[in-house]
Amino acid sequence: MCGIAGLLDLDARAAPDALAQRAQAMATALAHRGPDDAGVWVEAAAGVALAHRRLSIIDLTADGHQPMLSADGRWAMTYNGEIYNFPVLRAELEALGVRFRGRSDSEVFLEAVAHFGLEAALARSAGMFAIGLFDRHERRLHLVRDRLGVKPLVWAFAGRCFLFGSELHALRAAPDFDRALDPKAVALYLARANVPAPFTIHRAARKLLPGHVLSLGADGVPHIRPWWSLADVAEAGAANRFDGSEADALAALEAELRSAVSGRMLADVPLGVFLSGGLDSSLVTATMASLSTRPVETFSIGYEDAAFDEGGAAAAMARALGTNHHPLTVTPGQAMDVVPELARIYDEPFADASAIPTFLVARLARERVTVALSGDGGDEFFGGYNRHAWVGRLNAVPRPLRRMAGAALGLAGPGTWDRLAAGVAPLLPAALRLRNPGEKLAKLARILGAADGAAMYRGLVSRDDLARLLAPDLAPPLGLLAGAGRMPQLAHGAEQMMALDALSYLPDDVLTKVDRASMAVGLEAREPLLDHRLVTLAWRLAPAFKIRGGQGKWPFRALLARHVPPALFERPKMGFAVPVGDWLRGPLRPWAEELLAPAALARAGWLEPAAVAGLWARHQSGQANLHQELWTVLMFADWQRRQGGQ
């Protein structure tokens, strides 16, 4: 895992030293991503410079140093990621007569490009990566991002100079980079709590979409094309369903899962796994334990507040699986110490409050390991979110009745529903108790009158009303995918929602959160549930195989039950939440009030001070729990302050 950066000066007038210094400055801004080594490669005649920061994982010797040249001298590469099937790819190349200097997966991929071509090398590779490749024969720069967007890659023009890097920090290190904000991106952020690809918070910069290649030659025109399409895979899977028995499907899924986990256990450094106690991380841990010859190192975060604590569930799962478990019970003070760092860790405004525990568990793991597996991706491809189960049931109800029900639910605010639920909770079995029931019912009320599944999805994941309230002068937020690729045409509502999650929420929120939190402490996070071969199989499995009795991820439950008793994982989905609402009424209140002061908001621009003040007053009075809306405002205001306004 590493940080990459580079530039292509289309006028090719700069001296070698000047090019190297510019590229080095960009890479230095990414030193947190690669603390073990650094390098720069320059070809002044072409105006190109590639830079690299290395976190050494496979082949810790100098043979893994980057930027790296292919044996034939044609290709120069700076690479961030892992090719998990590189031993197989290496054997194929060796059979063709290729001889390798070292043992790194980076060199294997580079020689695959040299021998098969870029597109064929990508098709052969299973992994996560963001890559800068310069073809010295054609004088053409190629940027590549992995299929599902695990690794980030951003680019921009600064005059006649093309810039790219793992994070916006690298682009900002270029003195001529335009830092002005993009109004469309601000509106999207306020609605989504993140800035979705291809946008960045800066109008001059863009994210490369997952599964895409950008190519740039002497004409200075970037040509962007997909090399892998989630929409194509989803549609092909729906048209070619798995036709074996239920037992056959479970066997195929288990085989793909074991292969994905096994490949992600290859490392020359210590490795472990994030274990929240939830279904996905527990299944990854159980699979890892079954493949390991010694106890697996597991890491979990717990809270003193029982309503948000999964530490006990993680500890029980660890005992059942025989892992070497490392828990941390976080005090409010420890968690809130992270808050001022979020604007630095996330290189643009990012308002998923679960970034706090994600960073804390990454920091905990880095004390003992350099690589940690995670359970990300199970929800998006196996029906794990409540909305996946809801959509089919709701569509079966006539729209007029849904509208009436939504209006009735909306008569009582979330706070009222929370109080009612608290009174009823002791009478209910644990599996039926929901956390934040008022918030969930408020979401349900918003979508009940929606015309179709796409409108329901937008009502659940996008707060367009918040964007209009806080910044009425901005352009309205864009459509569901905001330019993030083609939406597949799927007949089943739950599958359509899963596809939307996989194309937007997964890369823009979940994977951004994990990448920045882990890289901030020099930890490599690996996601076996996002192996593209497992994802391809998942789309062939019918929705009824995934969602049963109103619960998603049925096959995961069936597989995990082979390792531990179901009582250890059959409970309501908790997520990775923190009690931000309470903190904003308590210890975080002074910090928040400083950022939300009308004068401060007016100086910074963009947000309507009176609208923000109204949200703050309602939250402080207890009339409503507006922690998500306020956290979105606070993360934007704090990021602006740290960037010097704009």
Side-chain angles (χ1 to χ4, degrees), residues 4 65 83 85 118 168 193 201 292 327 401 430 436 449 557 581 612:
I4 65 172
H65 177 80
I83 304 294
N85 66 332
L118 176 56
L168 289 170
I201 196 64
S292 180
L401 291 179
N436 298 327
R557 297 173 193 278
V612 174

Side-chain angles (χ1 to χ4, degrees), residues 339-340 584 586-604 607 609 612 616 620 630 633-642:
V339 172
L584 292 177
L588 278 182
R589 183 168 179 169
W591 167 80
E593 288 183 333
E594 180 184 352
L595 285 169
L596 302 183
L601 292 175
R603 283 195 304 272
L607 301 183
V612 174
W616 182 249
Q620 292 301 322
L630 289 167
V633 174
L634 286 163
M635 289 297 98
F636 181 70
D638 198 31
W639 182 87
Q640 271 193 293
R641 179 173 65 174
R642 291 171 183 274

Side-chain angles (χ1 to χ4, degrees), residues 340-428:
E341 299 300 315
L342 294 175
R344 174 187 58 81
I345 294 170
Y346 292 86
D347 50 350
E348 61 185 353
F350 184 76
D352 185 340
S354 65
I356 298 171
T358 303
F359 173 79
L360 289 169
V361 76
R363 189 172 66 183
L364 173 69
R366 189 62 179 91
E367 294 174 1
R368 295 176 180 270
V369 302
T370 312
V371 173
L373 276 62
S374 81
D376 298 304
D379 289 316
E380 287 77 9
F381 297 106
F382 289 89
Y385 295 127
N386 291 329
R387 52 182 171 264
H388 301 153
W390 285 357
V391 64
R393 295 181 174 186
L394 292 178
N395 279 334
V397 179
R399 191 180 178 196
L401 291 179
R402 287 192 274 116
R403 279 178 169 170
M404 291 172 60
L409 283 175
L411 291 175
T416 301
W417 290 117
D418 283 338
R419 289 189 291 273
L420 289 172
V424 175
L427 306 177
L428 298 175

Side-chain angles (χ1 to χ4, degrees), residues 45-272:
V48 66
L50 306 180
H52 192 262
R53 294 291 312 203
R54 186 183 184 197
L55 176 64
S56 302
I57 302 293
I58 295 175
D59 190 353
L60 310 185
T61 72
D63 289 331
H65 177 80
Q66 292 189 51
M68 183 180 289
L69 287 177
S70 59
D72 63 6
R74 175 174 178 174
W75 297 90
M77 181 182 76
T78 181
Y79 162 92
N80 165 32
E82 299 288 352
I83 304 294
Y84 300 117
N85 66 332
F86 81 92
V88 174
L89 192 53
R90 179 180 177 125
E92 182 181 2
L93 289 164
E94 287 177 331
L96 296 174
V98 177
R99 295 294 175 262
F100 291 91
R101 301 182 299 273
R103 299 184 298 105
S104 73
D105 62 311
S106 310
E107 185 184 1
V108 171
F109 178 78
L110 184 57
E111 294 306 323
V113 172
H115 282 74
F116 303 131
L118 176 56
E119 299 271 350
L122 289 170
R124 284 171 159 84
S125 299
M128 57 177 185
F129 41 81
I131 307 169
L133 275 164
F134 185 68
D135 183 342
R136 301 174 73 192
H137 288 188
E138 296 187 1
R139 290 198 172 186
R140 182 172 291 272
L141 177 69
H142 304 279
L143 304 184
V144 186
R145 194 172 177 202
D146 64 61
R147 293 172 177 86
L148 293 161
V150 179
K151 292 291 99 185
L153 192 54
V154 294
W155 60 274
F157 278 98
R160 291 276 294 164
C161 189
F162 180 82
L163 312 169
F164 72 90
S166 295
E167 299 176 12
L168 289 170
H169 294 306
L171 305 189
R172 293 190 199 106
D176 42 1
F177 174 69
D178 181 1
R179 296 187 176 210
L181 303 195
D182 184 343
K184 289 183 180 178
V186 175
L188 283 164
Y189 166 77
L190 294 173
R192 308 281 185 87
N194 60 61
V195 180
F199 294 91
T200 77
I201 196 64
H202 298 297
R203 67 184 179 192
R206 288 292 179 263
K207 300 180 179 91
L208 185 62
L209 292 174
H212 279 66
V213 176
L214 182 154
S215 300
L216 182 71
D219 62 359
V221 179
H223 299 276
I224 302 174
R225 65 191 186 279
W227 67 270
W228 187 85
S229 168
L230 177 66
D232 289 349
V233 170
E235 289 172 348
N240 181 32
R241 293 294 188 196
F242 188 90
D243 60 2
S245 67
E246 186 174 279
D248 292 337
L250 284 174
L253 180 58
E254 186 172 42
E256 289 291 3
L257 177 61
R258 289 178 67 84
S259 175
V261 171
S262 177
R264 284 155 181 79
M265 292 173 66
L266 293 175
D268 294 334
V269 293
L271 72 159

